[in-house]
């Protein structure tokens, strides 16, 4: 007699709510995401269970939850340079898309943003500008190849 075990079905009905980013200086990071990337704060509050302050920021249908535990010792973001950053497991970058990558890159340069690479080809159809936010988190902006 053989016993065939079926796998349970995956969870149904999931959808993305937001991406959470732990930050050291909540106010400074809110200001940077607003002034450089055009996000706006839609909600601000506190998670008492984990003793953390948060701000929900939104732009273009995206939601990022910036969360900070003030007074705690923070471990800095991984600053391994590409392509070696792919050898470190875990989330790599916030990936955005622009209809005008060259113009977006120029604006980033005007803001004095730390640029990892600017308007570089990734494939025959895709170009990318990779930056870091003030706390070292990578943000990759894709655009169509010229």
């Amino acid at each position: 007699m053989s016993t065939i075990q079926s796998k349970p079905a995956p969870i149904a009905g999931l959808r993305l709510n937001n991406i959470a980013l732990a930050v050291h200086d909540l106010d400074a990071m809110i200001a940077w995401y607003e002034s450089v990337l055009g996000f706006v704060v839609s909600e601000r509050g506190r998670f008492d269970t984990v003793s953390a302050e948060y701000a929900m920021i939104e732009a273009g249908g995206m939601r990022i939850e910036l969360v900070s535990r003030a007074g705690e010792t923070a471990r800095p973001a991984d600053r391994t340079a590409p392509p070696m950053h792919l050898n470190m497991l875990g989330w790599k970058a916030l990936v955005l898309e622009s209809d005008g990558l060259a113009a977006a890159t120029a604006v980033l340069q005007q803001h004095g943003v730390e640029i990892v690479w600017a308007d570089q080809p990734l494939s025959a159809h895709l170009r990318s500008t990779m930056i870091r936010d003030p706390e070292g988190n990578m943000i990759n902006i894709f655009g169509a190849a010229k």
Side-chain angles (χ1 to χ4, degrees), residues 49-109:
T49 304
V50 293
S51 301
E53 303 293 325
Y54 75 91
M56 192 67 71
I57 59 174
E58 299 185 28
M62 298 174 287
R63 290 167 34 110
I64 299 174
E65 176 189 321
L66 302 176
V67 61
S68 180
R69 295 185 70 217
E72 295 293 324
T73 302
R75 289 180 45 203
D78 173 41
R79 294 190 64 87
T80 304
M84 300 309 290
H85 74 300
L86 297 176
N87 295 343
M88 301 292 295
L89 301 181
W91 302 105
K92 295 291 105 189
L94 171 64
V95 181
L96 306 175
E97 187 174 2
S98 173
D99 292 331
L101 184 61
T105 301
V107 170
L108 293 167
Q109 290 168 330

Side-chain angles (χ1 to χ4, degrees), residues 1 9 15 19 40 50 54 61 63-65 67 70 74 95 97 102 104 112 116 127 132 137 142:
M1 179 173 168
R15 62 193 174 282
I19 300 296
V40 296
V50 293
Y54 75 91
R63 290 167 34 110
I64 299 174
E65 176 189 321
V67 61
V95 181
E97 187 174 2
V116 177
R127 297 185 71 79
R132 290 188 187 272
N137 302 292
F142 288 166

Side-chain angles (χ1 to χ4, degrees), residues 32 35-37 106-113:
W32 188 87
S35 67
V36 175
L37 298 181
V107 170
L108 293 167
Q109 290 168 330
Q110 291 170 358
H111 279 282
V113 169

